[in-house]
Amino acid sequence: MANTDAPKGFVPLRHLGGGLTRANGNYKIASAYGTIIGRGDAVKMHSDGTIIRAAAGDVLLGIFAGCQYTNSLGSPVWSDYWPASTTATDIIAYVYDDPWIVFGVQVNGGTLDQQAVGACADIVVANFDTTIKTSQSELSPTVGSSTAQCKILGLEALPGNAWGANAKVEVLINEHFLKQEAGI
C-alpha cells in the first residue's frame, strides 16, 4: 500500500534524551512581517533579532508552534500561525527550539529507503494551509552525507507508513542555530 501524500509540516515527537518537548516563547516577530509562519514551519533567527520563516539552506532556530499578540484593535489574539503583514504589539512567538527534539515530517514525493538513515536533507518550504491550520512543509528526498538542515533518524512508527514515496520520517535539526558556533 502506498503512503498517503498528507504533509503536516514538522511535528514534535519526542526528545532524544527523554526530556520534555516544549515550545519556548521568548522570540519576537516583527510587526507587519509579510510572510505567513504556520505551526510546523521551520523558522530562523533574523539579523534584527526577530524570527522569520526559514528557507532551504538556512540555519534553523526551530519549528514554529504558534504565537500571541495584541492586534490593532487592542484585542489579545492567540494563533496557530502568524498572519502575513499583521500590525500588532506584544508579539510572542512560540518555537520548539531545543536542538534535541525529534520531529516527524513527510518526504516530498521522492522515494527514500532504509539507506537514508543517518543521511542529511534540506527542508522543502510550502504554503501554510489556513483552512486546516497545517503546515505543508516537507523534507527533500535528495539526501547525502554532506551537511544539510535535517538528519534522518529513521521511519516514523505510524500504521501503514513504509519506505518509499511520501514516507514519514523522524529527523533532528542538523544545522541548528543553538548548536552553531557562528552568530547572525
Side-chain angles (χ1 to χ4, degrees):
M1 184 166 120
N3 294 318
T4 304
D5 185 10
K8 296 178 183 164
F10 288 78
V11 178
L13 300 176
R14 60 187 167 86
H15 191 278
L16 194 62
L20 298 174
T21 59
R22 64 187 179 108
N24 292 319
N26 54 348
Y27 299 104
K28 302 294 180 196
I29 301 170
S31 181
Y33 174 62
T35 302
I36 289 178
I37 309 172
R39 176 183 290 274
D41 282 335
V43 294
K44 73 174 195 168
M45 183 67 68
H46 191 262
S47 61
D48 65 2
T50 63
I51 64 163
I52 60 175
R53 192 168 184 199
D58 288 340
V59 173
L60 306 180
L61 172 64
I63 303 301
F64 189 77
C67 60
Q68 67 183 54
Y69 55 89
T70 302
N71 67 18
S72 59
L73 301 173
S75 300
V77 176
W78 195 96
S79 180
D80 284 334
Y81 68 99
W82 170 257
S85 306
T86 297
T87 301
T89 58
D90 306 320
I91 303 165
I92 300 172
Y94 296 95
V95 177
Y96 290 101
D97 64 353
D98 187 320
W100 304 112
I101 294 176
V102 176
F103 296 95
V105 64
Q106 178 176 295
V107 177
N108 183 299
T111 301
L112 286 186
D113 59 23
Q114 180 70 35
Q115 293 178 18
V117 174
C120 296
D122 280 334
I123 63 173
V124 176
V125 178
N127 291 330
F128 179 76
D129 188 323
T130 57
T131 302
I132 60 173
K133 307 283 192 273
T134 302
S135 172
Q136 301 297 293
S137 292
E138 298 177 280
L139 189 71
S140 172
T142 304
V143 299
S145 59
S146 61
T147 302
Q149 290 169 306
C150 297
K151 183 169 285 189
I152 300 168
L153 301 179
L155 197 61
E156 192 174 347
L158 295 169
N161 188 30
W163 291 109
N166 303 312
K168 279 66 169 180
V169 295
E170 292 187 352
V171 299
L172 274 176
I173 296 176
N174 189 47
E175 293 177 332
H176 199 291
F177 179 74
L178 298 177
K179 294 191 303 189
Q180 297 286 322
E181 293 180 24
I184 54 174

